[in-house]
Amino acid sequence: MAKKSTQSIENAPVIAVAGPEVFLKRQALKSIVETVLGDGDRAMAMAEYDGSSAGVELAAVLDDVRTLPFLAKRRLVIVRDADSFVTRYRAELEKYVDDPSDNGVLVLECKTFPATTRLYKRIAAVGQVIKCEAPKPREVGAWLTDRCKTAHGCKLDANAATLLVDLVGGELGLLDAELQKLVLYVSPRDRVTQADVEALVGSMREEQVWGILTAVAAGDERAALSLWEDVWQTDRAASARALAGVAFTVRRMLNAKRALEQGASMRDAGRILMRWGDDAKLRAELAAFSTDQLEGMLCQLLEADIASKTGTGSVHSLIEAFIIRNSRRPQPRRATG
């Protein structure tokens, strides 16, 4: 989580924003810009540099910081991705921190910023060091609850927070995006419940996975792979859940298929699959697979699960292989009269 030193941002001549958590760093930088510049013109009072570029020189950055601000109380200069920049100019930066500009604020955004260095200690003494570290897994739910209240003015039930983490994973940026959707979804209510998360976030994930299997059923390998990539991008931190989601949907398809073979109606099959509406389309999608094929797909997913847990394969590549294998399956021959 973002942790600050005692010096206020308004009076800090130098600020370091450091840590691996991208969302927290983005929020910290946004707060710095708003606090330092207020209503000032960003185009006239702020400059940004790419610290990873070897062409960015300290002299140019410091000249910018010392430039008199225009249409703002102070000038703001941000060096993004500044790890290599700090390494190159560490001694010079230490000297600058001892006698910083009165006109501007220098911000160094880094992935790492060791507290044992002299530069860290000097910045902490005269300015701000904001540490942006991801909360521990057991703390993410509490972070979500607090974030929902402070940033979105809405209460998030504890069990709803737990379910949201289970569905989305632990990446804070993705979680906050889902929070924003949920707050809009429940408005004008000011409370998000577990049922709200199930209705909005859970159903979206099911739709994504169903879309993958629908594309596989149609033999559309490219579409299925594209949909899987979308699922993966939103759930990298929860790979086991991504695989389990595919297996869960295949299992429901198998149950629906067996029910139809035993004389159930399409309405009954739709209830098993939690899909309603176009019975003809649903029948065609189920007809694309035999019971044996669906059972084989479950075996493939079990093997993929074992491979991922034993380190002999990654979930991403294993599901890709699953999609390709089943999209290219031999089509049953049609009977000829």
Side-chain angles (χ1 to χ4, degrees), residues 16-326:
V17 179
E21 222 309 314
V22 176
F23 175 76
L24 293 180
K25 287 200 289 187
R26 189 163 61 240
Q27 293 299 305
L29 289 171
K30 178 182 177 182
S31 176
I32 290 168
V33 172
E34 292 173 350
T35 301
V36 173
L37 298 183
D39 295 330
D41 189 333
R42 271 56 169 171
M44 302 298 293
M46 185 174 80
E48 296 186 70
Y49 292 85
D50 178 5
S52 65
S53 172
V56 175
E57 297 183 357
L58 177 64
V61 172
L62 296 186
D63 283 347
D64 214 340
V65 178
R66 292 176 176 127
T67 300
L68 289 174
F70 185 67
L71 299 179
K73 292 182 179 180
R74 305 180 76 187
R75 183 160 180 78
L76 179 63
V77 176
I78 301 173
V79 182
R80 296 183 180 270
D81 199 7
D83 295 77
S84 59
F85 179 83
V86 169
T87 299
R88 290 198 307 273
Y89 298 113
R90 184 176 298 277
E92 293 88 340
L93 284 167
E94 290 171 1
K95 293 179 181 178
Y96 173 77
V97 174
D98 288 339
D99 185 23
S101 170
D102 294 328
N103 300 318
V105 178
L106 173 63
V107 178
L108 302 172
E109 181 264 306
C110 307
K111 293 183 178 67
T112 59
F113 200 64
T116 55
T117 63
R118 284 180 295 180
L119 183 59
Y120 179 104
K121 294 173 183 177
R122 292 182 182 184
I123 292 178
V126 304
Q128 271 268 12
V129 176
I130 303 174
K131 297 181 181 180
C132 299
E133 300 171 350
K136 296 177 181 178
R138 66 177 182 275
E139 298 172 344
V140 175
W143 180 88
L144 263 178
T145 302
D146 180 69
R147 176 71 182 172
C148 193
K149 180 180 179 180
T150 57
H152 305 297
C154 196
K155 180 181 179 181
L156 178 69
D157 289 352
N159 54 356
T162 299
L163 179 59
L164 188 56
V165 175
D166 285 343
L167 289 170
V168 177
E171 188 173 334
L172 303 189
L174 293 176
L175 286 168
D176 187 64
E178 295 301 330
L179 276 183
Q180 294 180 54
K181 296 175 189 176
L182 283 162
V183 171
L184 290 173
Y185 175 75
V186 304
S187 180
R189 287 190 286 123
D190 61 356
R191 177 183 176 189
V192 177
T193 66
Q194 181 175 337
D196 296 323
V197 176
E198 289 172 350
L200 185 64
V201 184
S203 63
M204 288 173 62
R205 174 53 50 82
E206 288 181 6
E207 287 295 324
Q208 287 176 311
V209 174
W210 180 262
I212 293 170
L213 293 174
T214 298
V216 169
D220 193 341
E221 176 186 320
R222 179 177 296 181
L225 288 172
S226 177
L227 288 167
W228 166 239
E229 191 63 30
D230 288 343
V231 171
W232 177 255
Q233 290 297 329
T234 59
D235 207 13
R236 288 189 184 188
S239 57
R241 286 192 294 275
L243 195 154
V246 177
F248 178 70
T249 305
V250 171
R251 190 174 294 107
R252 286 198 304 183
M253 292 178 73
L254 178 59
N255 290 338
K257 186 85 174 178
R258 286 171 174 165
L260 286 174
E261 291 174 349
Q262 293 171 7
S265 67
M266 279 306 302
R267 180 171 295 182
D268 292 332
R271 289 195 187 99
I272 293 171
L273 291 165
M274 297 180 67
R275 305 192 71 79
W276 298 270
D278 192 338
D279 287 354
K281 181 180 179 181
L282 185 59
R283 186 185 297 276
E285 290 170 346
L286 285 172
F289 300 107
S290 69
T291 301
D292 288 343
Q293 285 172 330
L294 290 170
E295 289 175 345
M297 290 165 70
L298 281 178
C299 290
Q300 294 168 34
L301 291 167
L302 176 60
E303 292 171 358
D305 184 49
I306 293 171
S308 69
K309 290 176 179 176
T310 56
T312 57
S314 71
V315 170
H316 186 258
S317 59
L318 289 166
I319 293 296
E320 281 188 341
F322 168 85
I323 289 170
I324 293 169
R325 178 177 179 178
N326 291 286

